[in-house]
Amino acid sequence: MLASLYSRMALGCVEANRFLASVERLATFGLRADGGVERQALSEQEIEARKFLIGRARALGCKVEIDPCGNLFFTRAGAKLVPPVVMGSHIDTQPMGGRLDGAYGVLAGFEVLAALDDASIETSRPVTVVAWTNEEGSRFKPGAMGSGAFVEPSLLEHYQHAVGVDGVIFGEALAEARSAIEGALDCAPGFAMHAYLEAHIEQGPVLEQSGHSLAVVTGIQGVRWYEVRCQGCAAHAGTTPMSMRRDAVVLANNYLKRIVDLSGELSAQDIRITCGRWNVTPNSINTIASEALFTLDVRSPNYAGLDRFEATLEAERNMVENQALITIDRILEKAPTAFDERLQTLLARACQAATGTDPIRIMSGAFHDALHLAGHCPTAMIFVPSIGGVSHNPAEATQPDDLVLGVQALAYAVTSLAI
Amino acid sequence: MLASLYSRMALGCVEANRFLASVERLATFGLRADGGVERQALSEQEIEARKFLIGRARALGCKVEIDPCGNLFFTRAGAKLVPPVVMGSHIDTQPMGGRLDGAYGVLAGFEVLAALDDASIETSRPVTVVAWTNEEGSRFKPGAMGSGAFVEPSLLEHYQHAVGVDGVIFGEALAEARSAIEGALDCAPGFAMHAYLEAHIEQGPVLEQSGHSLAVVTGIQGVRWYEVRCQGCAAHAGTTPMSMRRDAVVLANNYLKRIVDLSGELSAQDIRITCGRWNVTPNSINTIASEALFTLDVRSPNYAGLDRFEATLEAERNMVENQALITIDRILEKAPTAFDERLQTLLARACQAATGTDPIRIMSGAFHDALHLAGHCPTAMIFVPSIGGVSHNPAEATQPDDLVLGVQALAYAVTSLAI
């Protein structure tokens, strides 16, 4: 049965030119002079882009709904009133974003709806495309607000008060956006879904370097952020003998070196460590530092890896001279997420049908709305390669052929789930 | 002859109460709520303080002169028209300064003048107190402008254009100060001096920890500043496998650790190393750093030490993986200075006479106006202890007894040079 379905949803139905033109069209909302896109959540450009999507959905005969957090749902009716098969992602971008991050998954969903029409396929389940509100978190924190408030509606009350980097209150921006968007029906958050599938660019170099066009995503790494604070005593670089110093930079350097020296071993256990920020006080050339603060971003596919790292962090501190002057604060934790196994198998078969080869399987290092949906319904993701691993950047790009193959695989998977 | 002179200049002549009261009085110009002093170069407060000094000099019957860079000279006439014995320092402070840095040396000079009067000592050489302009360099860069332009008058043309942290041009602030200060005679810079003696707080912990009240300063350390720039490649902390990274912080950490590990050995060679500043780009928790810049402040009593360090810095770079991504720029050099041996001996004898014990000899880790004078005439310095080694801070303090002993030693030394 699948094979015959796949032949009906042949490459001819997913129209490459139509899909790629839709990517260009959506990029006109917030297009930057450098070719990138700035379309931050609930900005004027993003609201115009929402209207564009609504127009397209209406042309496809879809029902348009909006939930209290501004998430937009575009639904192609099924023969039965049962939970829909849902595809989607987000259309907001970073301030210096590209054309694909988020937008790809939403437009892929629209192309699947159009292809279903072209192939005259009537599904028993409804098929829905969703555009989640504020995934990036660059204007309002935290990111992935829309999908978060969809699965846990009580969060919205809290999010309403978030203050944007431009001083705008999220709740006010949301109310304004909702009044600007006409004709969308209100719907309740948290409604049941048969499955959630998100197509996305990888945002890393692994898939491109593998030579494959598509990857099935096995899950999303867990992450912990730490602030490591090393205390010293400020003193004059010229007048203070080395033996009388308590230098915070030296302490931080000694400690971090121990962690860095273990990174190869930890990497072999799929643990990634990044020391991205250093803040030294007073940060003056000729003053011994009174404090050196550095951060650690640690990622692992599972809790065991995160816990192993944390134990290492503590143990290594105990090996450093003046260990009492080092404090470690865990300032963020996001749980590791494993995607639905059966949905992964189904996606792998769809990728095989689209490309003729088995996709690779990779873990996502970045967060996606699928993280929240994974606790709500069977969830999985497809990745297409990011050229040079670049994203959150005007240069963000994917080979057009790969983009289209990803849409085709999504079409196969959605059709087999919804039929 | 010295012994009898010393007996005439007994402790009774240097009046502790008068001297300590003068410290309190000068501190009223720019007194901060926290007890510290803000009296930056050529500020309103500093100009008022200059007027106070001029009034005091007139009361002592001294000639008052000002040179083109605003340095003030207060001269007690000698029996002969010969180059004067000069004492002094500066009265400008850091924005969060104390009562003693600079002020101590100037007020010590005034107390010596008063004590000479009290003891009815007529010297054959004139005795001059100088207050140098802008030693701190906190408002206008570079520091020690006044003494620099005194020994090398052509520098003033260049200094005129210096822009203060408050946007004021040095030349304009200087012209304003000169017009506010009435009745000072113009004098040419660079006039001959028989000797220059500067009393100062140590600004470090060595003298206090030695248990001595006074130190004879052997010279001023040379210093070199370096900027070390380590290149990486910005990438997402979550999506970039460890093996595909070029992390600037890791590179900087590996390199700096090699230097830190050598600091004990270098310290034994009287080389002091401080890594005071770290600037990481983009300094984001979840982004691999594209650049890590750190500074090194290196001090040594002699060129050999500075050169040895620089050779080590280069050699260690060659031991680091990805050495080609590290660039080292020397951004400042100040030559090591050795003070006049005979004057050091004379000061040691004066300190012995004042305290009853031999002073220790130490190298100055900080710069002083004496650095410039050392190339102009026989020059030396006396240090009094800084409690806790603290300076450039409202908490800057010295035991009053030690302050007075320093003045007494200065009085002995100046008298024996001028008699």
Side-chain angles (χ1 to χ4, degrees):
Chain A
M1 182 182 128
L2 266 181
S4 84
L5 251 181
Y6 284 0
S7 70
R8 278 173 70 192
M9 285 291 291
L11 279 166
C13 294
V14 167
E15 279 191 19
N17 290 343
R18 175 175 58 194
F19 172 69
L20 296 172
S22 76
V23 171
E24 291 311 301
R25 181 74 180 91
L26 190 62
T28 62
F29 299 97
L31 190 65
R32 293 165 48 94
D34 59 11
V37 176
E38 173 169 8
R39 193 170 57 227
Q40 295 202 69
L42 304 182
S43 65
E44 201 181 311
Q45 295 78 10
E46 201 246 19
I47 292 170
E48 290 304 310
R50 285 167 177 259
K51 290 181 187 170
F52 163 73
L53 293 182
I54 291 171
R56 210 170 156 213
R58 293 210 191 289
L60 288 166
C62 291
K63 180 169 71 172
V64 178
E65 293 171 296
I66 188 166
D67 79 359
C69 197
N71 299 310
L72 286 172
F73 302 94
F74 311 102
T75 299
R76 183 178 188 267
K80 298 180 186 163
L81 280 175
V82 291
V85 175
V86 182
M87 316 164 272
S89 189
H90 60 95
I91 61 165
D92 66 311
T93 73
Q94 293 278 328
M96 291 180 60
R99 301 168 174 229
L100 298 174
D101 183 352
Y104 174 63
V106 174
L107 294 172
F110 271 96
E111 182 57 33
V112 171
L113 297 184
L116 287 169
D117 283 357
D118 290 353
S120 304
I121 297 177
E122 196 178 332
T123 57
S124 65
R125 293 188 175 278
V127 178
T128 298
V129 176
V130 59
W132 302 109
T133 297
N134 186 29
E135 193 270 349
E136 293 293 352
S138 54
R139 187 180 179 201
F140 302 104
K141 290 198 186 314
M145 259 191 195
S147 50
F150 177 82
V151 302
E152 182 51 63
S154 67
L155 288 171
L156 181 57
E157 173 53 30
H158 173 65
Y159 292 160
Q160 297 277 11
H161 307 292
V163 181
V165 288
D166 51 5
V168 174
I169 311 291
F170 178 77
E172 291 173 11
L174 181 59
E176 205 169 300
R178 290 178 63 97
S179 72
I181 294 165
E182 288 173 353
L185 302 168
D186 283 325
C187 72
F191 58 77
M193 293 175 173
H194 180 64
Y196 176 72
L197 294 177
E198 184 166 349
H200 208 281
I201 57 170
E202 184 204 349
Q203 301 183 260
V206 177
L207 179 50
E208 182 188 41
Q209 297 207 5
S210 78
H212 287 73
S213 293
L214 300 178
V216 170
V217 185
T218 56
I220 297 181
Q221 289 179 331
V223 61
R224 285 179 181 161
W225 284 356
Y226 299 90
E227 272 183 1
V228 179
R229 209 174 287 271
C230 300
Q231 287 296 325
C233 183
H236 191 296
T239 61
T240 315
M242 299 299 280
S243 60
M244 296 187 190
R245 298 176 175 212
R246 229 169 56 208
D247 186 326
V249 164
V250 169
L251 180 60
N253 184 255
N254 285 341
Y255 184 35
L256 181 59
K257 184 66 165 71
R258 300 188 75 93
I259 309 296
V260 166
D261 285 349
L262 291 169
S263 66
E265 189 183 313
L266 292 163
S267 170
Q269 302 168 44
D270 264 347
I271 298 171
R272 291 177 184 165
I273 311 158
T274 305
C275 174
R277 183 182 289 169
W278 268 74
N279 291 333
V280 173
T281 308
N283 215 33
S284 150
I285 295 185
N286 57 349
T287 307
I288 296 158
S290 58
E291 185 179 283
L293 180 151
F294 64 83
T295 58
L296 293 170
D297 170 308
V298 181
R299 314 235 173 180
S300 164
N302 48 59
Y303 274 114
L306 295 177
D307 289 342
R308 203 152 47 229
F309 177 80
E310 194 160 298
T312 301
L313 195 62
E314 296 282 355
E316 291 302 319
R317 173 172 57 180
N318 295 339
M319 304 298 287
V320 177
E321 210 182 335
N322 292 320
Q323 49 172 276
L325 299 172
I326 302 174
T327 56
I328 304 171
D329 289 313
R330 195 207 286 174
I331 58 171
L332 176 136
E333 159 142 348
K334 298 211 184 186
T337 304
F339 288 142
D340 186 80
E341 290 281 355
R342 287 176 55 202
L343 221 42
Q344 286 185 51
T345 304
L346 184 139
L347 273 181
R349 231 178 303 158
C351 290
Q352 211 284 341
T355 63
T357 58
D358 284 328
I360 62 165
R361 300 213 181 200
I362 61 180
M363 171 69 55
S364 174
F367 300 123
H368 299 288
D369 292 304
L371 177 71
H372 288 139
L373 274 297
H376 181 68
C377 65
T379 292
M381 293 185 75
I382 303 177
F383 274 169
V384 291
S386 291
I387 295 174
V390 173
S391 77
H392 289 188
N393 191 305
E396 177 181 281
T398 299
Q399 295 297 348
D401 286 353
D402 292 337
L403 290 175
V404 173
L405 289 171
V407 181
Q408 188 63 49
L410 184 67
Y412 286 154
V414 165
T415 307
S416 65
L417 286 164
I419 203 75
Chain B
M1 182 181 129
L2 267 182
S4 86
L5 252 181
Y6 284 0
S7 70
R8 279 171 69 191
M9 286 290 290
L11 280 166
C13 293
V14 166
E15 280 190 18
N17 290 343
R18 174 175 59 193
F19 172 69
L20 296 171
S22 76
V23 172
E24 291 311 301
R25 181 73 179 91
L26 191 61
T28 63
F29 300 97
L31 190 65
R32 293 164 48 94
D34 59 12
V37 176
E38 173 169 7
R39 192 171 56 228
Q40 295 202 70
L42 304 182
S43 65
E44 201 180 312
Q45 294 80 9
E46 200 247 19
I47 292 169
E48 289 306 309
R50 285 168 176 257
K51 291 181 186 168
F52 163 73
L53 293 182
I54 290 171
R56 211 170 155 215
R58 292 210 192 291
L60 288 166
C62 291
K63 179 168 72 170
V64 178
E65 293 171 294
I66 188 166
D67 78 359
C69 197
N71 300 310
L72 287 172
F73 302 93
F74 311 102
T75 299
R76 184 179 188 266
K80 298 182 188 162
L81 280 175
V82 291
V85 174
V86 183
M87 314 165 273
S89 191
H90 60 96
I91 60 164
D92 65 311
T93 73
Q94 291 278 327
M96 291 180 61
R99 300 168 175 230
L100 298 173
D101 182 352
Y104 174 62
V106 174
L107 294 172
F110 272 96
E111 182 56 34
V112 172
L113 297 183
L116 286 168
D117 282 357
D118 290 353
S120 304
I121 295 177
E122 195 179 334
T123 58
S124 63
R125 293 188 175 276
V127 177
T128 298
V129 176
V130 58
W132 302 109
T133 297
N134 186 30
E135 193 271 349
E136 293 292 355
S138 53
R139 186 179 180 201
F140 302 104
K141 289 200 185 318
M145 258 190 198
S147 50
F150 176 82
V151 302
E152 182 52 62
S154 67
L155 287 172
L156 181 56
E157 173 53 30
H158 172 66
Y159 292 159
Q160 297 276 12
H161 307 292
V163 181
V165 288
D166 51 4
V168 174
I169 310 289
F170 178 77
E172 292 174 11
L174 180 59
E176 206 169 302
R178 291 180 61 99
S179 72
I181 295 165
E182 287 173 355
L185 302 167
D186 283 324
C187 73
F191 58 78
M193 294 175 172
H194 181 63
Y196 176 73
L197 294 177
E198 184 166 348
H200 208 282
I201 57 171
E202 184 204 350
Q203 302 184 260
V206 177
L207 180 49
E208 183 187 42
Q209 297 207 5
S210 78
H212 288 74
S213 293
L214 301 177
V216 171
V217 185
T218 56
I220 298 182
Q221 290 179 330
V223 60
R224 286 179 181 161
W225 284 356
Y226 300 91
E227 272 183 1
V228 179
R229 209 175 285 270
C230 300
Q231 288 296 325
C233 183
H236 190 298
T239 61
T240 315
M242 299 299 280
S243 60
M244 296 187 190
R245 298 176 175 212
R246 228 169 56 208
D247 186 326
V249 164
V250 169
L251 181 60
N253 181 255
N254 286 341
Y255 183 34
L256 181 59
K257 183 68 165 71
R258 300 188 74 92
I259 308 296
V260 166
D261 285 348
L262 291 170
S263 65
E265 188 183 316
L266 292 163
S267 171
Q269 303 168 43
D270 264 347
I271 298 171
R272 292 178 183 164
I273 310 159
T274 305
C275 173
R277 184 182 288 170
W278 269 73
N279 291 333
V280 173
T281 308
N283 216 32
S284 152
I285 295 186
N286 57 349
T287 307
I288 296 159
S290 58
E291 186 180 283
L293 180 151
F294 64 83
T295 58
L296 293 169
D297 171 307
V298 181
R299 314 235 173 181
S300 166
N302 48 59
Y303 275 114
L306 295 177
D307 290 342
R308 205 153 46 230
F309 176 80
E310 193 159 300
T312 301
L313 195 61
E314 297 282 355
E316 291 301 319
R317 173 172 58 179
N318 295 338
M319 304 298 287
V320 176
E321 210 181 334
N322 291 320
Q323 50 172 274
L325 299 173
I326 302 175
T327 55
I328 304 170
D329 289 313
R330 196 207 286 173
I331 58 171
L332 177 135
E333 160 141 348
K334 298 212 184 186
T337 304
F339 288 142
D340 186 80
E341 290 281 358
R342 288 175 55 201
L343 221 42
Q344 286 185 50
T345 305
L346 184 139
L347 274 181
R349 233 179 301 157
C351 290
Q352 211 283 341
T355 64
T357 57
D358 285 327
I360 61 164
R361 300 213 181 201
I362 62 180
M363 171 69 54
S364 174
F367 299 123
H368 299 288
D369 291 305
L371 177 71
H372 288 140
L373 275 297
H376 181 68
C377 65
T379 292
M381 294 185 73
I382 303 177
F383 275 168
V384 291
S386 292
I387 295 175
V390 172
S391 78
H392 287 187
N393 190 304
E396 177 181 281
T398 298
Q399 295 296 350
D401 286 353
D402 292 337
L403 289 175
V404 174
L405 288 170
V407 181
Q408 188 62 49
L410 184 68
Y412 286 154
V414 166
T415 308
S416 65
L417 286 165
I419 203 76

Tab-separated table of all heavy atoms in Angstrom, chain A residues 222-247:
chain	number	residue	atom	x	y	z
A	222	GLY	N	20.374	17.097	25.429
A	222	GLY	CA	20.141	17.858	26.646
A	222	GLY	C	21.267	18.863	26.817
A	222	GLY	O	22.369	18.681	26.292
A	223	VAL	N	20.983	19.932	27.528
A	223	VAL	CA	22.019	20.948	27.731
A	223	VAL	C	21.982	21.448	29.162
A	223	VAL	O	20.911	21.509	29.794
A	223	VAL	CB	21.845	22.124	26.735
A	223	VAL	CG1	20.508	22.807	26.921
A	223	VAL	CG2	22.947	23.151	26.876
A	224	ARG	N	23.142	21.711	29.674
A	224	ARG	CA	23.255	22.431	30.945
A	224	ARG	C	24.226	23.571	30.738
A	224	ARG	O	25.245	23.408	30.073
A	224	ARG	CB	23.772	21.507	32.054
A	224	ARG	CG	22.705	20.547	32.554
A	224	ARG	CD	23.233	19.620	33.619
A	224	ARG	NE	22.179	18.706	34.051
A	224	ARG	CZ	22.394	17.565	34.688
A	224	ARG	NH1	23.629	17.186	34.997
A	224	ARG	NH2	21.398	16.799	35.042
A	225	TRP	N	23.871	24.712	31.315
A	225	TRP	CA	24.777	25.857	31.302
A	225	TRP	C	25.293	26.089	32.716
A	225	TRP	O	24.537	26.039	33.691
A	225	TRP	CB	24.062	27.125	30.831
A	225	TRP	CG	23.835	27.173	29.350
A	225	TRP	CD1	24.247	26.271	28.410
A	225	TRP	CD2	23.115	28.193	28.631
A	225	TRP	NE1	23.841	26.660	27.159
A	225	TRP	CE2	23.147	27.827	27.258
A	225	TRP	CE3	22.468	29.365	28.998
A	225	TRP	CZ2	22.542	28.612	26.265
A	225	TRP	CZ3	21.866	30.137	28.012
A	225	TRP	CH2	21.911	29.772	26.662
A	226	TYR	N	26.583	26.386	32.794
A	226	TYR	CA	27.207	26.683	34.080
A	226	TYR	C	27.905	28.033	34.030
A	226	TYR	O	28.482	28.398	33.007
A	226	TYR	CB	28.273	25.631	34.431
A	226	TYR	CG	27.740	24.233	34.548
A	226	TYR	CD1	27.701	23.396	33.434
A	226	TYR	CD2	27.269	23.748	35.762
A	226	TYR	CE1	27.197	22.108	33.528
A	226	TYR	CE2	26.771	22.452	35.860
A	226	TYR	CZ	26.737	21.637	34.739
A	226	TYR	OH	26.245	20.370	34.840
A	227	GLU	N	27.865	28.713	35.149
A	227	GLU	CA	28.738	29.881	35.363
A	227	GLU	C	29.793	29.465	36.384
A	227	GLU	O	29.449	29.042	37.490
A	227	GLU	CB	27.956	31.071	35.916
A	227	GLU	CG	27.357	31.940	34.837
A	227	GLU	CD	26.645	33.159	35.390
A	227	GLU	OE1	26.629	33.340	36.631
A	227	GLU	OE2	26.101	33.917	34.591
A	228	VAL	N	31.033	29.596	36.005
A	228	VAL	CA	32.135	29.261	36.907
A	228	VAL	C	32.812	30.569	37.304
A	228	VAL	O	33.278	31.330	36.450
A	228	VAL	CB	33.156	28.330	36.223
A	228	VAL	CG1	34.306	28.024	37.165
A	228	VAL	CG2	32.472	27.061	35.759
A	229	ARG	N	32.820	30.842	38.606
A	229	ARG	CA	33.294	32.120	39.120
A	229	ARG	C	34.558	31.856	39.938
A	229	ARG	O	34.512	31.087	40.900
A	229	ARG	CB	32.208	32.689	40.025
A	229	ARG	CG	32.119	34.159	40.131
A	229	ARG	CD	30.888	34.533	40.962
A	229	ARG	NE	29.642	34.327	40.243
A	229	ARG	CZ	29.076	35.271	39.472
A	229	ARG	NH1	29.627	36.454	39.363
A	229	ARG	NH2	27.950	35.014	38.832
A	230	CYS	N	35.652	32.464	39.545
A	230	CYS	CA	36.920	32.283	40.252
A	230	CYS	C	37.288	33.598	40.924
A	230	CYS	O	37.371	34.633	40.261
A	230	CYS	CB	38.014	31.861	39.264
A	230	CYS	SG	37.609	30.313	38.423
A	231	GLN	N	37.488	33.537	42.223
A	231	GLN	CA	37.777	34.750	42.994
A	231	GLN	C	39.273	34.992	43.091
A	231	GLN	O	40.047	34.064	43.308
A	231	GLN	CB	37.239	34.606	44.424
A	231	GLN	CG	35.738	34.698	44.532
A	231	GLN	CD	35.184	36.047	44.129
A	231	GLN	OE1	35.829	37.068	44.366
A	231	GLN	NE2	34.041	36.063	43.485
A	232	GLY	N	39.658	36.253	42.969
A	232	GLY	CA	41.035	36.662	43.208
A	232	GLY	C	41.025	37.895	44.079
A	232	GLY	O	40.045	38.197	44.745
A	233	CYS	N	42.122	38.631	44.049
A	233	CYS	CA	42.213	39.861	44.816
A	233	CYS	C	42.892	40.894	43.923
A	233	CYS	O	44.025	40.692	43.486
A	233	CYS	CB	43.024	39.594	46.087
A	233	CYS	SG	43.110	41.036	47.140
A	234	ALA	N	42.161	41.975	43.630
A	234	ALA	CA	42.704	42.992	42.721
A	234	ALA	C	43.950	43.622	43.328
A	234	ALA	O	43.988	43.908	44.532
A	234	ALA	CB	41.646	44.071	42.454
A	235	ALA	N	44.974	43.792	42.536
A	235	ALA	CA	46.199	44.433	43.003
A	235	ALA	C	46.975	44.916	41.785
A	235	ALA	O	46.701	44.523	40.643
A	235	ALA	CB	47.029	43.462	43.837
A	236	HIS	N	47.945	45.773	42.055
A	236	HIS	CA	48.723	46.448	41.016
A	236	HIS	C	49.707	45.446	40.387
A	236	HIS	O	50.448	44.769	41.093
A	236	HIS	CB	49.463	47.605	41.700
A	236	HIS	CG	50.106	48.573	40.766
A	236	HIS	ND1	51.134	48.229	39.907
A	236	HIS	CD2	49.907	49.896	40.573
A	236	HIS	CE1	51.520	49.313	39.234
A	236	HIS	NE2	50.778	50.333	39.622
A	237	ALA	N	49.672	45.364	39.065
A	237	ALA	CA	50.533	44.408	38.351
A	237	ALA	C	52.014	44.684	38.574
A	237	ALA	O	52.843	43.777	38.508
A	237	ALA	CB	50.225	44.463	36.854
A	238	GLY	N	52.352	45.950	38.830
A	238	GLY	CA	53.761	46.285	38.970
A	238	GLY	C	54.290	46.099	40.376
A	238	GLY	O	55.437	45.699	40.564
A	239	THR	N	53.456	46.381	41.373
A	239	THR	CA	53.965	46.453	42.743
A	239	THR	C	53.746	45.176	43.539
A	239	THR	O	54.233	45.065	44.659
A	239	THR	CB	53.268	47.608	43.504
A	239	THR	OG1	51.871	47.345	43.555
A	239	THR	CG2	53.518	48.941	42.837
A	240	THR	N	53.003	44.227	42.995
A	240	THR	CA	52.653	43.040	43.775
A	240	THR	C	53.514	41.842	43.358
A	240	THR	O	53.369	41.345	42.240
A	240	THR	CB	51.161	42.693	43.594
A	240	THR	OG1	50.395	43.893	43.708
A	240	THR	CG2	50.717	41.689	44.647
A	241	PRO	N	54.407	41.383	44.245
A	241	PRO	CA	55.247	40.232	43.887
A	241	PRO	C	54.386	39.015	43.551
A	241	PRO	O	53.281	38.853	44.085
A	241	PRO	CB	56.066	39.984	45.163
A	241	PRO	CG	56.063	41.296	45.882
A	241	PRO	CD	54.736	41.912	45.564
A	242	MET	N	54.871	38.170	42.677
A	242	MET	CA	54.105	37.006	42.226
A	242	MET	C	53.663	36.149	43.416
A	242	MET	O	52.566	35.602	43.417
A	242	MET	CB	54.948	36.149	41.262
A	242	MET	CG	55.387	36.858	39.988
A	242	MET	SD	54.017	37.447	38.938
A	242	MET	CE	53.549	35.921	38.108
A	243	SER	N	54.524	36.056	44.432
A	243	SER	CA	54.227	35.168	45.552
A	243	SER	C	53.121	35.723	46.449
A	243	SER	O	52.568	35.012	47.277
A	243	SER	CB	55.490	34.949	46.382
A	243	SER	OG	55.938	36.204	46.867
A	244	MET	N	52.798	37.018	46.310
A	244	MET	CA	51.773	37.614	47.167
A	244	MET	C	50.447	37.790	46.435
A	244	MET	O	49.562	38.492	46.913
A	244	MET	CB	52.245	38.976	47.681
A	244	MET	CG	53.470	38.911	48.572
A	244	MET	SD	53.835	40.540	49.305
A	244	MET	CE	55.450	40.244	50.039
A	245	ARG	N	50.302	37.175	45.278
A	245	ARG	CA	49.104	37.405	44.474
A	245	ARG	C	48.026	36.354	44.690
A	245	ARG	O	48.338	35.209	45.004
A	245	ARG	CB	49.463	37.381	42.982
A	245	ARG	CG	50.420	38.438	42.604
A	245	ARG	CD	50.824	38.329	41.150
A	245	ARG	NE	51.671	39.472	40.826
A	245	ARG	CZ	51.729	40.067	39.647
A	245	ARG	NH1	51.009	39.604	38.646
A	245	ARG	NH2	52.508	41.106	39.457
A	246	ARG	N	46.785	36.778	44.446
A	246	ARG	CA	45.694	35.828	44.276
A	246	ARG	C	45.006	36.243	42.984
A	246	ARG	O	44.182	37.150	42.976
A	246	ARG	CB	44.744	35.894	45.470
A	246	ARG	CG	44.438	34.509	46.013
A	246	ARG	CD	43.733	34.568	47.331
A	246	ARG	NE	42.519	35.356	47.225
A	246	ARG	CZ	41.982	36.028	48.234
A	246	ARG	NH1	42.542	36.009	49.419
A	246	ARG	NH2	40.877	36.722	48.070
A	247	ASP	N	45.440	35.617	41.906
A	247	ASP	CA	45.080	36.058	40.558
A	247	ASP	C	43.922	35.204	40.041
A	247	ASP	O	44.057	34.002	39.804
A	247	ASP	CB	46.320	35.923	39.666
A	247	ASP	CG	46.119	36.490	38.275
A	247	ASP	OD1	44.993	36.407	37.751
A	247	ASP	OD2	47.097	37.003	37.703
